[in-house]
Each structure stands twice: as structure tokens, then as C-alpha cells.
């Protein structure tokens, strides 16, 4: 977690202003100097459903939005409970809903509008993190033809929640700098063959048997940061199609998982990232966290049965956990963006 | 919860056999006679993944299986800790995996095989509940054409987890009687119009405003019991295609949700059940539990904006909860089946 | 699920009134007669926090309340979307909050007040289920002495959430009849010795090794129904102390789990129920659902180490699942009460 | 996420070695150079229960352990699927269980032993993250006195799971450097008074009413890093009592939450951190993430009732989210430690 807020020492005198109940020692009294470090605050998980009903064929957008603001001037809310610069989190929520009145669009664009608003409207708000989960819906198909009065497929105003994965979007602002990180979570995939694992070192605690054919299964968490050029271009409305970019990266990740003959989940991870960068120019780097969801071949020999790779026990815990970043050579690092991707602590 | 186990009074003498630490009072000493009521035991949530690899184009089946056995002779395990009749839950788990070696097929068929085994192999096991959740997987499509070497669509051995809903199956056995209950959970659907709610009574505590256009959203939990004729026919392997029945009922439920202009979620629920019974002969009755997932129109007037049914706050709790059963006229009631659908307590 | 609502056939003529979009077949047209079975509707999970601030020493009560109403007259909401008898779920929520203004008290008493209101205020509401989860809070202790200005222990108005288990309460009404079922969930307990498991039958699929010393761990779900006499007595305000009864039963369950030398989890379950009935006169019957949370002794032999019952792997799934009811001899059965304990479907 | 692994370009030639199915383009063929960034791998959520049974009075320790290893030599597993340096995650799991044979003790000490082992046994493992959740258990009290044969309170070998919060521990190693971060999660606290919120700026989207008395509730996530001196001292077994430090910090956090008259949750957060640093010398810095769990006063006026701060609706989402770090003046920053606290991505 990085912040533009330089550590700041609290005032060491006014007990009353500190809000500490009477009798509590002030910093000056008792000892070590203490400073405020990185900080941010906002409203989390604003559930927004937007219906576009310009015609009989409705569109639906479903986001869970989180905004968190940063700025040096916010320190006094921490230090002495002075809220003069604290844009209330309730106000942030209201703003999300009000902005949705003008439409949502790609989550990255919607978050950018919010970011521009908060940093523009309040001069002491110098940055923040603006994130969203996008929940997918498809149209219910009500008959074999799927035809509707508009000629499209599926019902005009009846929808069913889509697949298990969730699309994520994050816009991070620090003064004049900004980053856009897209991603997905809970994309669960499995290969029933085409995966080996052998050649690993053996020590006193190693009992794992080598295998040249196993199930490989994981639940992909991926985040990819767009290049500075892409982020810059996106300042022109409509110049970057973040929805299309998302679909392309998702498709590449899936196809690569399927196509790579895997010698290690690490290798699959890297190949997925490499391919995404190779095929989508807008991607600067990709980070993955991928559990190795173990499927253990059940020993059926005690029951007089063989088990040629057919019957598996899918274990919950423990699981392997493979993390890795794949980076386009030459792009500048962006630690402030990645810090904002994960929880504060 | 019903069981064939008649209430049975425990022995009132042997302290030692009761397993109560010395000094604990026996029933005879202290007072009220106490009897054992309904009971069952087994192994829950056996995670089974079955790969069929007869050709290069693999098939995958993914079930979470629970077996629970019943029988009067099991009472002694409760009363005095005598396990002579207790088929270990570990054995039940092993049996699930061993039976999967011969293939799985429709969950209802697999559960029936397990039920037949346990009640046939152990003459004191006179019934039980045999349930499964079926998790869906689709093939990963790796290119635009989606063509594979086998000519089908999607990858031969790479899969992605399917939609959000889970298919359920339950076989209940009580002596010679048996019931089959199919179902689905977490099928989340939404209509962006075509839903009204008005005409309800008003009392001192009523503040709700009537509406003739609202979002209607729910997460459908549905269970349908198949007719006795269907269950009987299914004793002949291959005579009943439970997978096809599931798909038909699911499609009817979705289409009806979409098509019904709703005056109340109750009405939608009933229409869904009625249509399923009308269109699928094998269905004897359907039960639903459907939360009314409220989407509140956000008041944007304080911000100088109108909101003509476009911006909504999707609330988590509380929610409406609408339950109802829809029954084919003339079918016999089956309380033992429905008791087994829900948790014991 | 039982209801006083007799199955009722829907009208077979009015397409318009049925709310089905034009073109949909009416029952009369297409075939099987369909009837409405058991049903109920209401508001679920109303989150209520009540602060009593009569003095500087506050009290806090924290409930999640669900009300569901029943009555024959409600059928028309299902059959034709006629809401004339539908007490809006929003009204039910408002009523919960309004009633809390006068205090909460034991959850069973609060639910009874709600039940009396709904069945009394609306003559067509002939019954329902009224349930609550009670979340526990303790006072924060701010210094070694724990003394406060009021002389009690802990802070006057600062609280910390209590243990992992949740207290449950349910009042079920059917015309003049009523039942009260108390309970608890997620009470996780473990014995590190004093548990054996052997003497079970062995078949082709049995591989489990017998043991005379294992870890026994479970997460207790228990519900106990109070006797009709207790429920009757409770009509006089203050005559029954449901909070004290809860504490006594909970203490007996815990102590019995600890004291019983276990030969099977079934035996422990039965002993817990028996002791509760023996020691608490107000308890008519107890139902349990108890997972056997397996702790497997890790085989350390490959690493040259023994493992005399010290190092265990705590597995998630599968788990044993032991269900059982323990009944005071001579009490009348109450299926309508138990049906209402579990989800509708 | 920081790693000692310098970005490394994959080989650009060997298609076969890359494990990509034939036909896939190599890096050299298609375009952008791609490098591997930060990475780590290991076994997550190893469920370990350790019983110490030296006497009739057993002790129980319950941890969920995650180990993840780092080192430049691991790059080849990502780049080409070469596992020669990959200590299998299964081996890591075995090591956790084997090490538990010698006892567990404070989680920080146990994790340090694991860290020393992996970095010592395998010279190419130059660092990693070693984390644990510690689940608390208390003894079941079986009678009023609570006395046992050993004279202590509670049962010798029967336990009940403790409160809702979870203790966390993390040891991070990077070559010769190491950090220890302790923490807690899900510590839910509430003040029924002594909290105000006013003085915040108002803009077009502000509707929140100022208040001088509200409920303040949060679920504390806190992590505190121990000073380098403490970590260094801990290299001598027994020299640092991490269990006692945890208890002291936890007590200070609770007491400060209770004692501070709050003008903003930010202020409470800062005061909690400041007090922890002031009172516990071993603490270098504290980070918090604290949701503002809103409790809305219910408007009972429509029902003719007042509501003087007594009846509240506890909302789920959205919630405020207040993050902040509090740092002892003069201590060196430790970004590598904090990166390892949060998920990789």
C-alpha cells in the first residue's frame, strides 16, 4: 500500500481535540512519537443495478462499486477526528448512484468518471482507488428459436445470472498519474489430461509420486494492467473499448490453459500471461494467483478394481498456491497500482 | 423428518455399557423415560470427479454425494454405542468411489445404484437418503470455429465450470417404497419490467408504496418429485432419461419466469410449478422457495435528477421469502420424500 | 412442510386474471388439474439491533428475525396474483422494528408477540412461522479490574461479539395451536481423547481401521421443543424464563459431550439429548444434526517419526453426518413444529 | 508484491521445451519480449491440529498454515516447466506435519522454524512467506466449580471453539532479512454511544445528516509488525513470548476502541494504533482495515413512535471502509513485509 500521504506526526498537546476520553495520556506525555502512514477511506460494495430501457429490449448492468479517497488533508480525521475534509462515505455512495443515471458502460470508464469527479470536485482529494466487480447476466431464452420481437436472441427483459467468474476493474489515481487494472476471479478450469508433474527434488519429507498424467484444475484469479498508452488514450471517450479488451484477454487465458501441455501449473500460468501480452497490445503486465486444486486418484485396489485415471477425489484443503507476474519487457513498474489491487492489510 | 424407526426406549440398567462416565445417573435412577426418535447417519459431501476417457474426447462428471442410512437395528449405536450394525461412514465413502468406477450417468441413477446396494447388502439397512449436487462443466472453446479433431465443439479435455446454479438429486428409500426428487438451487433470475405489486392491505405499519412497474429478481430453489410411475419405470436401466427431464423442467421454469407478467412473486412461483406439471408428465409436484431480492429505485431527486426505473440499489437483507408447493391433482402425498429433502434439523 | 391450507385448484378460465401473458394456455385448455399445496410467505433476515439505554450502562440485543405467514385466504396471491390478503413483507419488517420499540427480551417472547399480532390483526392469517437468530455480545473489559462506575464488570457501552455459536428460536402457530422450538448452531466442540470407534461390520468396501483412541469433533446443531405445558405457561408474561432455559440446556449439552466416554458419535448425541430431557423439565424433545469432523492421525513413519496421537490433519470434506431425535416418553408428536424448523425445500 | 527474483526473459527458441502444443508461436516468432516478474509458490491452508498429551490434562493447538517459497532458481518452472528446483507443495505439507511432532508453540516460532528449514535445506530457496491462522479453543466447564483433577479450570480433554476472531501470524524471509507480522481478523466490536459524526463537507450529492450520537461498529482487521530488535531477539528460543505480545496488543486495541470518544472511525483507528505502539515496545507499526458497519436508526414516526437511539437496522452493504497505518517514528519501512501480508493479487 502506497500513498501520497507523507507520514505525519499528530499534535502532541490538545487532549480534548484528540477525542481521547479524559485521563488518556497525550503523545507528548507518554513516549514514543507515532506517525500516521498510508491511509484511505471510502464506501465499499455499493450494489448498483442499472437498467437501460430506451427500447422494449432492455439492457442490464450490475456492479458492486468501491471508492476510496486519499489526500494529505485527510490526516486530521485520523489524528484529531476533524472531518472538515472528509467527503462522507454516504456522499460517495450517492455519487455512484447519481452518476449511473447518465449510464454506466465499461466499468473502467465508469470508475474513471468517478475518479475524475472526486479529484476534481475536492481539491484536497489527490487520489484514490476506484474498483468494481461486474456481475454478468444473459437473456433467458424462452423458446427453441430464441427469436424475439426485436429479432435478437433471448427475452427482451428477462435475464439469468451468468457464469461463476466475476470481472473486476480498478482505476488508481495518484495526482496526475493513473492506472487501470482489469481482471477476473473464480474462473474455474480443469484439464482431464495433458498435465504432468515430475522431476522435482526429493528430501526426507518427500513422499509424492511422480506422474505423467494427472488432472490439472485451478480457479484463476488474474489481473492485468493496461499500458500507459492505453490509459492515456482512454481519456478520449470511446477511444478504448475496455469490454472488448476484457473479452479478448479472457478468451486467450482460457485457450492457453486448454492448449498448453502442462509440466507444472507454474508453466501454465506463465504461458497464459505471455500469450495475453503477445496477443493484446494494450496489456502491460498480468498477475496471477492460481490454486492447484488437487484431484487425487482414488486407490480402488482394496476393492479389486483398477483405476486408470477415471475416479478422483476432489480435495478442498490444502491446495497448492502458485503466484506469478508476467511483464511486457520495457514497461515501467507500477507498484502503486498493484498495491491498490489487494486489500489494504 | 420421518423414519421407519419406531421410538425405542434405551436399556435402563447398564451404566457401563452406556458409555457414560462413572457417576452419571442411569435413566432408571433419575426420572423420565426417554426414547430415541427418527435417526439416520452417513457420509456427507463426498467429492467425486469422474473422467470418462474411452476416446480422446473426454467426458467429466462432478458430484458431491451424501449417503445416510436408516434401520431399526441402528438404534443400539445411539443407545449404547454398539456399532455391530453400523456400516462405517468411511465404508460408505469407499462405496461411492468404487461404484463410480463403473460410470456415473444421471445422478438419480447413480444414487439408485447406491441405495440398492446398501439396502441389499445389509439386511438391517431398510432405507435411507441418497443425495447429490451435480456441478456443471462446459468445454473450453479455443478458437473461433470451436472445431476439434472429433468434429465437436470445444476442447477434447479442457473444461470450464458452468453457470451459477446447482442441480440436485435425491433418492429416498423406505423399505419397498422409494421416491426420486430432482431440483436446482441458486438459479438467479431477474425481470427488468413486467412486474407489479399493489392491492395489498394497509395497516398502521404499512408504508410500502404500490407500484405497477418494478424489478422482480429471485434466486430459485426448486425441487420436483417424479411420479411413482416414473420411479417404477426407472427400475429398468435406461428407461427414464433423468438428464433430459432435468433440462426440460429447467427450461420451463426459466421460460415461465420470463413470460409471466407478474402481479406477485407468489403468482410467478405458482405459474412456474403449474407449467412444469403441465408440460412434463413425469413431474408429480414441485416445491419452491424463492427470495424476493429487492431492487430499490434510488431517489435521485435530491441531486436534481429523475429516475424513470433506471438506477437501483440491490439490497442484501432483509428479503421477501416466498414458499409454495404445486401439486398434480390426484397424486398421493409423499411426506417421507419431502422430509428427506431438507436438513434433519 | 405442513400447512393448514388445503390444496386448492386454481380457476380454470380467466386468462387475463392469471397474469399469464396472452397466448398462454389456461389450465382448462391444456390438461392436468394442478393444485396449490403448502405455502407461506414473509420477510426473512430482518437485522434488528436494540439498545436499552435506561441508564449509563447500556444493554444490547441483536437478532435476525424472519416472519412467514400462512392462511387459506392467501391462495389467491399464488393462483391469480390477487394481493388483497397479502400483508406486505415490507409491513412485516416494519412491524418487527416497531415492536422492538417496546423492548425485545427473550427471542421466544418477542416472536410470540409478533405471532399474536399478525394472527390477531388479520383474521385470515391463521398461522405462521416466526424465527430468530440471536447474536451474542459481551462487554469489553478495559482494565485488569474490569470495574465500572456501576460496579459491574466490563464497559458500560462497548461490546465485543461473542462466541461462534448462534442461538435460535422459533415460534410456530397453526390456529389455536402453537409450539416453541429453541436451539443452537455452530457450537464446535472437540475431545482429544475419550473416544473409540470399533466393532463395525466389514464388507468388501471397508478399509477403516478400528481405534480405541481418536479425536472426536463436531459442530453441534441442536433444536429442542418445549413442552406444551411450558408453552401454555408462557402465555403469562414473565412466567417462563426462556433465556435461563437456553443457558441450562446449552450447559448440559456441553458437559455431556465432555463427560461421555464415546464409543460412537451416535451414542454421544443420544446421551446429550437424554441428559437435557432429564435435567430440564421444560424440554419435550431434542433433535440433533452433528457432523463427525474427522481428524486424521498423520502418518509420520516415512519421516522416521512416530505419532502417538499428537499430530492430526483436520479434514473439511467428506464428513460423517449423524442425525437423531431424543424424545421424552409420552409427549405428543409435533410434526408441524419440526417441519417449520427446516427450510421449506 | 516484491520478490528478490529479478525479471527474467524466457528462452526464445525451444518450442518443445516450452510445453506449448505444436504450432504455438515462440516468443522469438511473434513479438514482444516477455519477462517473469515476482513469483512464489507453496501449499496453502494446511489444517494442523496438535494435541499435547504429556499429562491427563491435554493441550490443543489448531493452525491453518500456508508456506510459499521464493528464489531465482524457481524461474525455470514458470518458463519451461523444469521442476528440478521445485520443492513439491506436497513436501511442504509433509514438513509442516513433521515439524509439529516436536511441538508447535507460538505460531510465529513455528513459522520461523519452517522458514529456517526451507531456506536452509535448499540453498536455492532464498526466501518466502510463512503464514498461519490460529484458531482458539477453550476448555469446556462441566460443573459450577469448574475444578478438575489437576486443580485447573475446565475439562482435561474436552474443548469448545473460542470467539469469532482469528489470530494471524506471518514470517517473511528475503535472504538474510526477516520480518514478523502478527494480527487478528474478524474482531467485531460495537459502541452503543460515544460516537459522533459531523463537520464533513457538503456538496450536491450530500444528504447525510450530522449526528452527535450514533452506534459505531466495526470488524477489526489489524496487523502489527514487530521491531527488528524483537525479530532479532527471537532468534534465541524462548527469548520473545509472542503469545503474550499478542494478548497485550489485542487487549489494548479492545480497550482503546471502548475508551475513545469517537468523532470519526478514522480517529478511533489511529488511537488504537497509537496506543498499541505506546504500550507495547515490540510493535513497530500497525495497519488496520476497518469497515464502518452502519446501524441505521429506524424511523418509527410513521407508526406514531419515537426512537430515541434504541431501534436500529444493521445493514450489510454498502459499508464504510477505513484503512490506515500507524507507525512508530524512526523505524525503517518494510514494504516487503507488507506486500506479503496481502494476497499476491
Amino acid at each position: 500500500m502506497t500513498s501520497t500521504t507523507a507520514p505525519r506526526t499528530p499534535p502532541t498537546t490538545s487532549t480534548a481535540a484528540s477525542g481521547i476520553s479524559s485521563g488518556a495520556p497525550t503523545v507528548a506525555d507518554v513516549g514514543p512519537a507515532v506517525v500516521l502512514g498510508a491511509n484511505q477511506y471510502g464506501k465499499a460494495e455499493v450494489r448498483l443495478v442499472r437498467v437501460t430501457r430506451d427500447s422494449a429490449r432492455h439492457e442490464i448492468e450490475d456492479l458492486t462499486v468501491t471508492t476510496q479517497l486519499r489526500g494529505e488533508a485527510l490526516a486530521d480525521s485520523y489524528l484529531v477526528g476533524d472531518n472538515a475534509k472528509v467527503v462522507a462515505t454516504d456522499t460517495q455512495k450517492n455519487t455512484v448512484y447519481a452518476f449511473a443515471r447518465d449510464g454506466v458502460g465499461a466499468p473502467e470508464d465508469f470508475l474513471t468518471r468517478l475518479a475524475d469527479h472526486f479529484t476534481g470536485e475536492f481539491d484536497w482529494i489527490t487520489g484514490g482507488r476506484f474498483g468494481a466487480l461486474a456481475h454478468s447476466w444473459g437473456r433467458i431464452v424462452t423458446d427453441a428459436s430464441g427469436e424475439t420481437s426485436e429479432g435478437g436472441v433471448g427475452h427482451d427483459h428477462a435475464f439469468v445470472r451468468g457464469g461463476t467468474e466475476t470481472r473486476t476493474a480498478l482505476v488508481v489515481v495518484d495526482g496526475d498519474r493513473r492506472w487501470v487494472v482489469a481482471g477476473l476471479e473464480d474462473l474455474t478450469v480443469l484439464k482431464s489430461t495433458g498435465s504432468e508433474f515430475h522431476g522435482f527434488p526429493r528430501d526426507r519429507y518427500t513422499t509424492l509420486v511422480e506422474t505423467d498424467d494427472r488432472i490439472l484444475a485451478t480457479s484463476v484469479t488474474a489481473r492485468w494492467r493496461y499500458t500507459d498508452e492505453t490509459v492515456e488514450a482512454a481519456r478520449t471517450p470511446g477511444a478504448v473499448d475496455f469490454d472488448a479488451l476484457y473479452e479478448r484477454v479472457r478468451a486467450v487465458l482460457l485457450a492457453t490453459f486448454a492448449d498448453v501441455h502442462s509440466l507444472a501449473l507454474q508453466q501454465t500460468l506463465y504461458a497464459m500471461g505471455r500469450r495475453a501480452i503477445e496477443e493484446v497490445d494494450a496489456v502491460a503486465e498480468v498477475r496471477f494467483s492460481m490454486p492447484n486444486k488437487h484431484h487425487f486418484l482414488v486407490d480402488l485396489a482394496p476393492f479389486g478394481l483398477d483405476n486408470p485415471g477415471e475416479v478422483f477425489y476432489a480435495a478442498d484443503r490444502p491446495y497448492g498456491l502458485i503466484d506469478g507476474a508476467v511483464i511486457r519487457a520495457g514497461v515501467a513498474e507500477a507498484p502503486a497500482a498493484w498495491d491498490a489491487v489487494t486489500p489494504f492489510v
Side-chain angles (χ1 to χ4, degrees), chain A:
Chain A
M1 178 49 227
T2 299
S3 160
T4 59
T5 306
R8 177 168 166 178
T9 306
T12 55
T13 49
S14 170
T15 300
S18 77
I20 306 282
S21 58
S22 74
T26 62
V27 169
D29 293 337
V30 299
V34 174
V35 293
L36 177 67
N39 61 83
Q40 58 190 359
Y41 83 102
K43 196 65 122 195
E45 302 190 30
V46 175
R47 293 283 300 114
L48 165 65
V49 171
R50 173 65 158 79
V51 177
T52 301
R53 44 203 306 164
D54 301 335
S55 74
R57 192 166 179 82
H58 290 186
E59 305 289 336
I60 182 172
E61 294 167 300
D62 185 345
L63 298 181
T64 300
V65 178
T66 296
T67 58
Q68 284 186 289
L69 308 182
R70 302 171 184 167
E72 279 192 42
L74 297 168
D76 279 349
S77 66
Y78 290 85
L79 299 178
V80 294
D82 178 346
N83 297 312
K85 301 296 189 189
V86 177
V87 180
T89 67
D90 189 75
T91 300
Q92 296 180 44
K93 176 199 70 178
N94 287 346
T95 306
V96 168
Y97 286 122
F99 273 49
R101 180 64 187 88
D102 298 324
V104 174
E108 290 83 358
D109 290 326
F110 185 66
L111 297 170
T112 296
R113 288 172 53 209
L114 290 168
D116 286 345
H117 167 75
F118 287 114
T119 56
E121 182 88 357
F122 308 99
D123 56 17
W124 62 87
I125 302 298
T126 55
R129 62 187 300 282
F130 305 88
L133 307 178
H135 313 290
S136 68
W137 292 87
R139 292 180 188 279
I140 293 177
V141 175
T142 55
D143 59 28
S145 75
E147 295 302 309
T148 72
S149 56
E150 299 296 303
V153 173
H155 197 278
D156 273 356
H157 59 261
F159 303 87
V160 57
R161 268 289 288 271
T164 55
E165 87 256 24
T166 299
R167 174 180 172 183
T168 67
L170 181 73
V171 172
V172 183
V173 175
D174 181 10
D176 293 334
R177 307 213 50 192
R178 68 180 54 203
W179 300 272
V180 177
V181 181
L184 54 79
E185 298 175 347
D186 298 325
L187 178 67
T188 303
V189 290
L190 178 150
K191 295 185 64 166
S192 54
T193 190
S195 168
E196 314 184 24
F197 190 61
H198 46 71
F200 47 86
R202 306 193 77 86
D203 76 346
R204 174 184 175 189
Y205 301 111
T206 304
T207 54
L208 186 68
V209 175
E210 300 192 321
T211 176
D212 61 1
D213 191 6
R214 62 171 184 175
I215 283 184
L216 183 69
T218 188
S219 171
V220 180
T221 294
R223 316 270 183 196
W224 52 94
R225 182 170 67 86
Y226 288 114
T227 61
D228 290 344
E229 293 73 17
T230 303
V231 174
E232 191 59 30
R235 290 179 188 261
T236 305
V240 175
D241 185 344
F242 284 110
D243 289 346
L245 285 172
Y246 174 82
E247 292 302 333
R248 280 191 61 200
V249 174
R250 180 184 181 278
V252 169
L253 297 182
L254 276 174
T256 309
F257 175 83
D259 283 342
V260 171
H261 181 92
S262 179
L263 301 174
L265 183 51
Q266 285 91 326
Q267 181 204 22
T268 294
L269 178 157
Y270 180 75
M272 290 166 71
R274 190 178 73 178
R275 194 86 63 94
I277 290 172
E278 289 170 352
E279 300 199 7
V280 186
D281 289 344
V283 174
E285 52 179 326
V286 192
R287 291 198 176 193
F288 297 95
S289 186
M290 290 169 49
N292 193 338
K293 297 168 76 79
H294 303 308
H295 287 65
F296 296 112
L297 196 67
V298 179
D299 179 10
L300 301 178
F303 322 131
L305 300 170
D306 64 350
N307 188 2
E310 301 221 330
V311 179
F312 294 88
Y313 159 57
D316 294 308
R317 296 192 294 184
Y319 51 90
L321 182 54
I322 314 299
D323 297 336
V326 187
I327 307 170
R328 184 182 296 272
V331 302
E333 292 193 3
W338 292 110
D339 281 340
V341 166
T342 52
F344 183 81
V345 65

